[in-house]
Amino acid sequence: MNSQTVLMRMLAILGIVSLSFLAGCGGGTTSTVNTNPTPTITTISPNSAMAGGAGFTLTINGTNFVAASMVNFGGTVRSTTFVSATQLTAAIPAAAIASTGTLTVTVTNAAHGGGISNAMNFTITSGPSPVPTINSLSPSCAPEGEQVLNPFVNGQLLVNGQNFLASSVVRWNGNDRPTTFHSNSQLTAQISASDIAAAGTAGVTVFNPAPGGGNSNTTTFTITAGGVSPQSITVDQHTGKFAYVANDGCGDSAFGNVSMYTINPTTGVLSSIGPPVASHDEGAHSVTVDPFGKFAYVANWGEGDTAGSVSAYTINATTGALTYTETINGVCPGLCGPWSVAVDPSGKFAYVANEAGFTPTNVSMFAINTTTGALTPIGTSATGGRSISVTVDPMGKFAYVAAPSEPPGSAGDVSMYAINTSTGALTFTGTVATGTNPASVVVDPTGKFAYVTNSGSNDVSMYTINATTGSLTSIGTIAAGTGPGSVAVNPTGKFAYVTNSGSNDVSMYTINATTGAFTFMGTIAAGMTPRSIAIHPSGNFAYVTNSVSNDVSMYSIDATTGALTLIGTIGT
């Protein structure tokens, strides 16, 4: 065999054939055209699999394979690896063998030349079904009467596990539910409202049919009597008739919700209006009511799965019930991980502190349609750190945002803004230092003082406010309990209260009307992990959300001393 023949064979292996054309008798020119050979399959390994099995690597043996050869398995081109001119491998996912039947395997070489190989059959057998296993449910709980909501799977229950088949069925308390197969590790099932109409638990299993198969382990789905993980509470300051609580929810990609209450004007006791209303996103973290008691807004931080959002509601003036109207979806950077929402005293503008994204983050600004409550974005303004809490002074002239700094554990700050009362636009005027990990900022009813809880340094920073510029001047700090989170000032301006999530209590203070300084007057027990506190506009009652015990502590306030007295709890 001469060297030219050897060369031609090597080029054929690589998918290149050189054709020479001679012009004239004594010589001429040579032209080369690259053509791929037609591939041939001799064997495939494996040539069968069990339906519902795991994904695998298919080995194809034959001839005339080239680097650009592609394997077609069951009508779909699969990820192909060129091993040699006589061997390829292809990645076959579990979803491709979910059902029994016979599939064809071919190899295609692209033009010029090339073509499709002969077909080989791949058989998917039923065999004995494996026993399925459930690892987790998403969501794993829901409030009674509220449809299971999962934003990633169109309102269905997501079941994660192993050994699922196309014929697998999700069972709710032993009863089959409409099931969709996604992969051997994931199913979804439609859960009806009647399934979660009453508080309690349900056993979720997956059944694989015979031969083999059987029931999986049982995983518990919890139906709660109300909202889960209450974070924020607000009281309608216009009438004092209603209170609302933002509940973070069950996690696991479930939407948060808002619990609704009427307030007894004599006793201060809360009564539930009905099942919580959905927040239409994950992680409802903050709720506020406009100054005229017409609209409510919820900041949903998204739990790291979404960019978060702000949901809007109208309030029934007679019953206090919320009716959902819209959601402003977040986009990072910008409205990203909303953590706190506040409305200015005119009811014309809303501000949202955005916790997520690269620091420093920002505060989003919105104009409010005073007839419908609809929000219109009007921009963002940068803050000094990771925005956590936003508040507006009683005159609507200034806004303040508490923001921890990075790395965590370092001193934070408060960003200060002047408000354009015509447009609502914020103009940044500077920052002032706080303690470690500031969590909440509030301005007293006189507009003369501001206070910030510092959850890392277990204290409260106190400031005076310049009436002309809005600038804050520190007047010192005072100790709080462990993990102070929320601070509220009595409408009289005489008393202040701080929730301590680590010590499960509320710190009580009197306020010096001249200097604004706090004087500690003791603590009172709250539920497990208190998060937020709100004061009734009468100054007679206070309410605290407890995120782990899933309830609200209700207190009366001594008008002379400011001391709190527990008058009961109510579930969220």
Side-chain angles (χ1 to χ4, degrees):
M1 183 183 298
N2 60 35
S3 60
Q4 183 178 4
T5 302
V6 173
L7 177 61
M8 290 295 289
R9 289 189 177 184
M10 292 178 64
L11 292 174
I13 291 173
L14 295 175
I16 301 172
V17 176
S18 178
L19 301 179
S20 297
F21 300 93
L22 300 179
C25 297
T29 60
T30 300
S31 174
T32 300
V33 178
N34 294 337
T35 62
N36 284 326
T38 300
T40 300
I41 301 177
T42 55
T43 62
I44 59 174
S45 178
N47 61 10
S48 66
M50 187 179 299
F56 63 95
T57 298
L58 179 69
T59 299
I60 303 94
N61 299 303
T63 60
N64 294 335
F65 299 152
V66 297
S69 294
M70 296 303 296
V71 173
N72 185 301
F73 182 89
T76 302
V77 174
R78 304 298 176 180
S79 177
T80 303
T81 300
F82 175 80
V83 179
S84 70
T86 60
Q87 189 173 88
L88 305 171
T89 62
I92 310 301
I97 58 169
S99 302
T100 59
T102 300
L103 304 178
T104 58
V105 178
T106 59
V107 172
T108 300
N109 286 355
H112 299 285
I116 302 174
S117 74
N118 59 304
M120 300 290 284
N121 288 334
F122 186 96
T123 304
I124 306 172
T125 62
S126 58
S129 299
V131 176
T133 300
I134 297 178
N135 294 335
S136 65
L137 303 176
S138 178
S140 59
C141 71
E144 61 180 335
E146 181 181 304
Q147 177 64 295
V148 177
L149 296 170
N150 187 308
F152 301 114
V153 287
N154 300 319
Q156 298 184 41
L157 178 68
L158 182 64
V159 183
N160 299 300
Q162 302 168 26
N163 298 329
F164 297 155
L165 309 176
S167 54
S168 295
V169 177
V170 174
R171 291 177 169 176
W172 183 271
N173 286 332
N175 298 307
D176 292 358
R177 291 294 177 261
T179 302
T180 301
F181 174 84
H182 296 282
S183 71
N184 66 344
S185 62
Q186 193 170 90
L187 305 170
T188 54
Q190 186 65 52
I191 307 302
S192 67
S194 61
D195 287 330
I196 56 172
T201 60
V204 177
T205 57
V206 172
F207 174 75
N208 283 355
N215 282 309
S216 71
N217 56 305
T218 300
T219 301
T220 299
F221 187 97
T222 302
I223 304 137
T224 65
V228 177
S229 189
Q231 298 295 311
S232 168
I233 185 167
T234 190
V235 172
D236 165 24
Q237 296 294 311
H238 183 64
T239 66
K241 294 165 60 176
F242 311 115
Y244 304 95
V245 173
N247 302 297
D248 192 47
C250 303
D252 301 323
S253 303
F255 285 168
N257 51 48
V258 183
S259 299
M260 305 169 289
Y261 306 90
T262 57
I263 302 174
N264 184 304
T266 304
T267 65
V269 171
L270 303 180
S271 297
S272 176
I273 292 174
V277 296
S279 71
H280 294 267
D281 200 352
E282 299 179 57
H285 197 270
S286 173
V287 59
T288 193
V289 172
D290 85 304
F292 306 104
K294 296 169 59 180
F295 313 114
Y297 302 95
V298 174
N300 305 293
W301 71 279
E303 293 186 351
D305 294 322
T306 74
S309 61
V310 178
S311 299
Y313 307 81
T314 58
I315 299 174
N316 185 303
T318 302
T319 66
L322 299 181
T323 299
Y324 169 77
T325 57
E326 68 169 349
T327 293
I328 306 295
N329 290 316
V331 177
C332 299
L335 182 68
C336 184
W339 201 259
S340 172
V341 57
V343 176
D344 86 311
S346 73
K348 294 163 53 179
F349 310 111
Y351 303 97
V352 177
N354 298 303
E355 184 271 345
F358 294 107
T359 54
T361 60
N362 58 53
V363 55
S364 296
M365 305 171 285
F366 298 89
I368 299 176
N369 183 309
T370 56
T371 301
T372 66
L375 301 176
T376 299
I378 56 176
T380 62
S381 184
T383 60
R386 187 169 296 282
S387 306
I388 291 293
S389 176
V390 59
T391 193
V392 178
D393 87 303
M395 303 304 294
K397 296 169 58 180
F398 312 114
Y400 303 95
V401 174
S405 298
E406 292 187 340
S410 57
D413 58 44
V414 176
S415 295
M416 303 173 286
Y417 305 87
I419 300 176
N420 183 311
T421 56
S422 297
T423 67
L426 301 180
T427 298
F428 178 72
T429 60
T431 62
V432 63
T434 66
T436 304
N437 294 340
S440 175
V441 58
V442 71
V443 175
D444 87 310
T446 69
K448 295 166 58 178
F449 312 112
Y451 305 98
V452 175
T453 56
N454 302 301
S455 62
S457 48
N458 298 325
D459 55 20
V460 180
S461 297
M462 303 173 288
Y463 307 87
T464 58
I465 300 176
N466 183 299
T468 303
T469 66
S471 295
L472 303 182
T473 300
S474 174
I475 55 175
T477 62
I478 189 169
T482 304
S486 174
V487 57
V489 176
N490 189 286
T492 64
K494 296 166 60 177
F495 314 113
Y497 308 94
V498 171
T499 60
N500 302 300
S501 62
S503 49
N504 296 325
D505 55 22
V506 178
S507 297
M508 302 175 288
Y509 305 88
T510 58
I511 302 175
N512 184 303
T514 302
T515 66
F518 283 2
T519 297
F520 179 67
M521 53 182 288
T523 61
I524 187 169
M528 294 178 63
T529 316
R531 293 289 188 190
S532 173
I533 184 168
I535 310 297
H536 191 271
S538 68
N540 295 327
F541 311 110
Y543 305 97
V544 172
T545 56
N546 304 299
S547 64
V548 172
S549 50
N550 296 326
D551 55 23
V552 178
S553 298
M554 302 174 286
Y555 303 88
S556 62
I557 300 175
D558 186 295
T560 303
T561 65
L564 302 180
T565 299
L566 182 67
I567 56 177
T569 60
I570 186 171
T572 52

